[in-house]
Amino acid sequence: MLYRITFKKSVSRDLRKLGKTEAERVLSALASQLPEAADDCPELKGKFAGLRKFRVGDYRVIFAIVGDSVCVTRIGHRRDVYRG
């Protein structure tokens, strides 16, 4: 299934923290791979139960599948993205 990608407003703040080159790399990977591979991404546990993660190098994209779209909720470095 091909999903449409949507973003939470707070994701723009997350992208600014990454820097321009890293943000472009993450967004490029999102646009090319996530619409087709969202179902294959691992589900998270604990306080992030119901969400999934997508890896782009050392960066993680946290998202939820809602109907026919993927809602990206957070983007960040793997050491920081899971902190509350």
Side-chain angles (χ1 to χ4, degrees):
M1 180 175 188
L2 196 62
Y3 291 99
R4 190 171 42 98
I5 299 177
T6 60
F7 296 91
K8 242 179 111 176
K9 289 182 182 179
S10 61
V11 171
S12 64
R13 181 174 17 107
D14 294 342
L15 289 171
R16 279 195 298 270
K17 288 180 185 177
L18 297 185
K20 187 173 182 173
T21 57
E22 291 301 322
E24 287 175 356
R25 188 168 68 94
V26 169
L27 289 175
S28 164
L30 271 176
S32 65
Q33 298 172 15
L34 191 61
E36 298 146 1
D39 288 328
D40 299 332
C41 293
E43 290 187 30
L44 298 174
K45 299 175 183 170
K47 67 179 180 179
F48 291 101
L51 299 175
R52 295 173 180 254
K53 71 177 177 181
F54 176 70
R55 291 181 44 203
V56 181
D58 283 340
Y59 295 93
R60 301 295 181 264
V61 177
I62 307 299
F63 68 93
I65 297 176
V66 182
D68 65 340
S69 66
V70 167
C71 181
V72 175
T73 58
R74 291 189 79 172
I75 297 175
H77 194 275
R78 63 187 176 93
R79 72 172 171 253
D80 299 325
V81 77
Y82 302 110
R83 294 186 184 159

